[in-house]
Amino acid sequence: MTGWMTPPERGLLDAVDTALQKALAGRLLVTAERFGSSMRTLYAGPGPLHGARPALAIGCYPAWDAARPGAVLAAEDGTRVRGPVQRHTWMEAVDGAAAAVLAGLSAPPVLAAWYATGRLRRWAGPRGTIAAIDGRLRAVVEDKAAFDTLLENAGVAGRMRIPAVRVDGPLSALSELRRRVGTKRLVVQAGADSGGRGTVFVDTDADLVRAAAMPGPYKVAAFVAGWSSNTTVLSVPDGNGSVAVYVDRPSHKAIGITEAGIGPGKSAGNDWSRPWPETAAADLVDAAVRIGRHLWAKHRVAGLFRLDAILTPDGRAVFNEINCRNQGTTEVSGVNQQLRGLPPFLAAHLTVLLGCRVDWLPDAEDFNAGSIDGATTIGAGPFYLKLRHRGTTPVRLAGLRGPGVYRLDGDRLVWVRPGAHSAGANADLGEILLAGLPAEDVVCLPGAELGTGEALTTGPGSPFAAPHQLSGFGAALLDALATHLTPVSDPTSCEVTPS
């Protein structure tokens, strides 16, 4: 571990473990997420929560030894192919096997997932439990067209709201929408999807046609320049009819970096080491608390949710989206809590969703004041950079030792040590945890997720230089990884599903 990380005290960890085991009540914890190593920050890092290591992980990609849960059922173990289609269809690929394995467990399962679906309810069966927000409620809360109304109802200050209009019918002409919103460049959003889907940047009539292809209603908003951001928020019922709302420090999120293989509107990763202006951080925390209380009062939503914001060049924070669940940022953002001597929020999230009391967290106001202080002070923070196959032909990853900590040495990646936690790598020294890498015999199709690059940094090791630009370190890392991608000699022999 880097010198910046002091593990939570053993007594605190024991209390959290005890509470989580009480919540599980003899049931077996099972994850159902794309990465088989999901939740590794809880059980494979500094001050591990041993009771949070899943008995079984069901996903698209397998885990590796340092991050391994009790058992893994991964679609990729059967297909030996990794690509954009596979990452969206893995649940169908393991459907029958997952239902059978879960039915044969020695105790009822608790399925930890992003949100509950009919498929997950079928997998869990009559004796299982799903630890996730209901999918229908999630769709209501995350409805992009309703987001501005949610902010208004929560009492979020107007200065933190982007000029926008809701369109329930067909989209008007571009000139009319520009007039109504007040800007030339527009952002049209619809639905409750994730990963940048459901968002179209509109500069031309052709862009508007693409936006209109999404089913409405629509939110048509002004484009706002600046750093995108992610903030993880945790709502915990206080036993008195309300919730205590804990707000993590906000990130700087890089968007649409073509050289990293990331399309417009899609995230290339998040960096929590870069400081925020104090007023913007304080505004963001105040608004997050208001939103958390509103979601509890209106929908009885508790546990994790995420707020997406934009930090403008003049130092203001404005909100643009909400995700009412744990998500892709949850794994690494949990390191922020560990840097403060606490277990990741995810432990409280699971305990809350299972209807049990969380009594180990500090006072919420004190915690949030600390978040503002941490966000505005230069210091160590975690980051992750998405790793994608940027080429146009199938490849295999060769010449590395699998997931673990590497050092960037010129244009080479040099193995340093095993690892499964962001704090095990110091990017200021050129180190990086390469998490989730495919095995050497797995065929990676164009656009495939190769994993994530993760580490701690005080700033010099950040993979991002600007809102849409890699740093020298980030670009060198991707180029070094690309040297280990070898073309598949006979692409026609691969079992490739057309996208």
Side-chain angles (χ1 to χ4, degrees):
M1 293 296 152
T2 63
W4 300 309
M5 177 71 75
T6 300
E9 295 180 357
R10 189 66 255 172
L12 173 61
L13 292 170
D14 288 343
V16 177
D17 245 338
T18 298
L20 185 55
Q21 292 310 306
K22 182 180 179 181
L24 289 170
R27 295 169 292 183
L28 296 177
L29 181 61
V30 177
T31 59
E33 294 192 23
R34 195 159 77 248
F35 290 90
S37 59
S38 170
M39 290 176 42
R40 57 188 159 85
T41 304
L42 278 175
Y43 62 82
L49 290 169
H50 300 295
R53 187 184 296 270
L56 170 67
I58 304 172
C60 182
Y61 311 129
W64 64 103
D65 286 347
R68 192 170 299 281
V72 180
L73 172 61
E76 187 169 280
D77 284 337
T79 65
R80 314 312 291 170
V81 175
R82 182 177 292 203
V85 171
Q86 285 73 22
R87 73 170 173 259
H88 294 301
T89 60
W90 67 267
M91 296 189 87
E92 290 91 329
V94 301
D95 188 42
V101 169
L102 289 167
L105 291 177
S106 60
V110 169
L111 266 66
W114 284 19
Y115 52 90
T117 64
R119 185 191 302 274
L120 288 178
R121 284 187 281 270
R122 178 165 52 77
W123 284 4
R127 59 183 198 143
T129 303
I130 300 177
I133 185 172
D134 179 77
R136 291 160 295 190
L137 176 56
R138 167 252 177 185
V140 170
V141 175
E142 294 188 14
D143 181 7
K144 294 175 174 65
F147 183 60
D148 198 54
T149 300
L150 185 154
L151 295 180
E152 181 180 3
N153 292 341
V156 174
R159 65 179 179 276
M160 300 190 71
R161 291 160 52 191
I162 298 172
V165 295
R166 178 185 173 113
V167 178
D168 287 295
L171 291 170
S172 306
L174 182 55
S175 58
E176 171 63 12
L177 293 174
R178 284 171 170 167
R179 183 193 67 77
R180 294 180 65 187
V181 174
T183 60
K184 183 176 181 180
R185 191 177 200 202
L186 305 175
V187 182
V188 178
Q189 293 181 292
D193 217 329
S194 60
R197 293 178 295 277
T199 298
V200 178
F201 295 96
V202 176
D203 295 293
T204 66
D205 287 326
D207 295 332
L208 188 61
V209 170
R210 288 194 300 113
M214 300 186 295
Y218 308 93
K219 180 179 78 170
V220 182
F223 172 80
V224 177
W227 275 100
S228 292
S229 173
N230 169 265
T231 304
T232 300
V233 188
L234 172 72
S235 295
V236 177
D238 62 9
N240 298 311
S242 187
V243 285
V245 183
Y246 296 82
V247 187
D248 188 29
R249 63 183 292 182
S251 74
H252 286 71
K253 177 166 65 174
I255 296 290
I257 301 182
T258 305
E259 61 181 315
I262 305 297
K266 296 181 181 294
S267 167
N270 284 267
D271 174 15
W272 286 270
S273 71
R274 191 182 296 261
W276 266 58
E278 184 171 0
T279 298
D283 275 352
L284 184 146
V285 167
D286 175 75
V289 171
R290 292 173 183 270
I291 292 168
R293 290 173 177 167
H294 169 72
L295 291 176
W296 172 257
K298 184 173 179 60
H299 299 292
R300 283 300 185 261
V301 169
L304 286 173
F305 67 93
R306 180 184 84 177
L307 288 170
D308 283 357
I310 298 171
L311 178 61
T312 66
D314 60 355
R316 296 180 301 113
V318 291
F319 289 111
N320 61 325
E321 194 169 318
I322 186 171
N323 295 121
C324 196
R325 49 185 164 77
N326 59 320
Q327 59 273 304
T329 56
T330 303
E331 195 71 71
V332 178
S333 70
V335 179
N336 288 319
Q337 293 100 63
Q338 292 174 320
L339 284 167
R340 298 175 64 175
L342 293 170
F345 280 166
L346 186 55
H349 173 73
L350 291 172
T351 305
V352 165
L353 291 182
L354 293 173
C356 290
R357 185 182 175 192
V358 172
D359 57 6
W360 64 80
L361 291 169
D363 176 79
E365 289 190 10
D366 291 342
F367 180 90
N368 293 340
S371 293
I372 296 170
D373 182 65
T376 56
T377 305
I378 295 176
F383 69 78
Y384 71 91
L385 168 65
K386 294 180 180 179
L387 309 176
R388 293 282 174 88
H389 171 31
R390 300 171 290 171
T392 58
T393 60
V395 296
R396 289 189 174 96
L397 184 67
L400 296 176
R401 292 178 56 178
V405 178
Y406 291 80
R407 185 179 71 255
L408 190 62
D409 185 6
D411 59 354
R412 298 174 59 244
L413 288 166
V414 180
W415 173 266
V416 178
R417 67 183 77 90
H421 192 282
S422 306
N426 183 340
D428 293 355
L429 300 178
E431 295 179 349
I432 191 77
L433 169 68
L434 298 182
L437 297 179
E440 288 198 346
D441 68 329
V442 170
V443 174
C444 298
L445 307 179
E449 295 177 313
L450 301 178
T452 52
E454 305 171 10
L456 289 181
T457 181
T458 58
S462 172
F464 310 120
H468 312 287
Q469 180 184 348
L470 293 171
S471 68
F473 176 73
L477 170 63
L478 295 186
D479 288 345
L481 183 64
T483 66
H484 291 275
L485 300 178
T486 61
V488 174
S489 56
D490 181 13
T492 61
S493 67
C494 305
E495 294 184 12
V496 178
T497 303
S499 58

